[in-house]
Amino acid sequence: MSAYQRNRHHEQQPLSREERERQIQEIDNLSNALVSLGVKTVKKNPIIFTSYFIGLLLCILFNGFKVSNNQISTYHNTIQSIDYDNLYKLENEYLYYNQLYTQSLSWFYFCNTKQCKNNKITRDEAYNNYINELNKEKQLVSKAKKEVGILSIYGIQETRDLYWKRFAQGRGFAQRQSKWDALFLGLQAMSRDESFMEYLFRVLINVILNFTIGTIGATIGFIFSLYSLITTYQANIIIGLSYFILASLAAISFAVTWIFGLYAAAAG
């Protein structure tokens, strides 16, 4: 047997019980080291810990301020005044004329025929009508939201819905990536003659990393989306900036708690 074959044969040998126990012990030591590092970090950075605690309390306890009956009535009346039927009609018209324009394009998407130019004019008019109606709808929605305020139960609930939407997107990314990782790790396990437990261990590590990346990405996406949400409520600069900071802090606190719980569950 050549040296290459001996090395290849050695690489394909499954890990012994002692080696598996050593790997598990290394994971436990790493988890304990991370926990110890976290405790030392808290002691050295009390402001960061206090901010984390405040953000966590906001997630759990603050549901928004109640609004008066007059505010609720004005809010719903403004929303009901929006002509959604006309908006959908203009949208369908734009899509229809845009399809006609696309079908009349010649080679390499040139619009050099009379029919194509007429279709383009009609498409542009339909688009302008749809955009104008869409802007009116946005203005009415913003007017209704201004009536209740960003700190109301409506604003807090919409903020939470926005975060859960981003969180679901991050979770979906983690699930899709984990499926592909499980597939490719399975192919690698067959080529390396790994045991089933070793394969599950490697899959678990990748799942944890994928959910960590997905949660961090979801939180960043939520923070970037906060500005647009705050502007729809027409909050003043002081309230808007304060809300942006506190909502971002609450999102980061939840993400840190989620990731920490994920790693603690895996280590336990």
Side-chain angles (χ1 to χ4, degrees), residues 16 46 77 114 116 119 138 177 199 216 218 228 231 238 256 264 267:
S16 63
N77 289 336
K114 183 178 180 179
C116 179
N119 289 338
K138 290 181 179 179
Q177 189 63 35
Y199 164 72
I216 294 174
S228 298
T231 55
I238 297 177
V256 171

Side-chain angles (χ1 to χ4, degrees), residues 119-253:
N119 289 338
K120 184 179 185 303
I121 294 174
T122 306
R123 190 279 306 264
D124 293 342
E125 292 178 353
Y127 175 77
N128 292 331
N129 293 334
Y130 168 66
I131 291 300
N132 291 334
E133 189 67 22
L134 183 63
N135 290 333
K136 291 180 182 179
E137 183 264 345
K138 290 181 179 179
Q139 291 175 0
L140 288 175
V141 170
S142 181
K143 179 181 178 181
K145 290 181 178 181
K146 182 182 178 181
E147 185 66 28
V148 295
I150 187 66
L151 296 176
S152 65
I153 55 178
Y154 293 91
I156 299 302
Q157 185 60 47
E158 188 172 0
T159 304
R160 287 177 173 171
D161 292 341
L162 176 61
Y163 182 80
W164 288 123
K165 178 181 178 181
R166 296 290 179 262
F167 185 81
Q169 292 173 347
R171 183 179 57 191
F173 160 80
Q175 291 174 345
R176 292 189 301 269
Q177 189 63 35
S178 297
K179 290 179 181 178
W180 286 108
D181 288 344
L183 174 62
F184 288 111
L185 288 176
L187 296 176
Q188 293 179 5
M190 289 187 293
S191 63
R192 298 173 58 180
D193 196 22
E194 290 182 346
S195 66
F196 183 69
M197 294 303 298
E198 293 167 353
Y199 164 72
L200 288 181
F201 176 76
R202 295 178 63 192
V203 170
L204 176 62
I205 295 299
N206 280 271
V207 168
I208 293 174
L209 292 177
N210 290 333
F211 273 91
T212 301
I213 296 173
T215 303
I216 294 174
T219 304
I220 295 175
F222 167 76
I223 293 174
F224 275 101
S225 302
L226 264 179
Y227 174 77
S228 298
L229 175 63
I230 295 174
T231 55
T232 59
Y233 281 85
Q234 302 182 37
N236 61 56
I237 184 66
I238 297 177
I239 294 178
L241 182 60
S242 301
Y243 189 82
F244 180 85
I245 294 174
L246 293 176
S248 300
L249 181 62
I252 294 173
S253 300

Side-chain angles (χ1 to χ4, degrees), residues 12 18 26-27 73 81 111 114 153 221 234 253 262-263:
Q12 293 180 351
E18 290 77 9
E26 289 177 355
I27 296 298
S73 177
S81 66
C111 185
K114 183 178 180 179
I153 55 178
Q234 302 182 37
S253 300
L262 185 65
Y263 277 83

Side-chain angles (χ1 to χ4, degrees), residues 85-103:
D85 292 335
N86 186 43
L87 180 63
Y88 296 149
K89 175 184 176 182
L90 293 175
E91 182 183 10
N92 291 330
E93 287 181 357
Y94 163 68
L95 295 175
Y96 171 74
Y97 288 119
N98 183 62
Q99 184 179 9
L100 290 181
Y101 164 71
T102 304
Q103 292 174 351

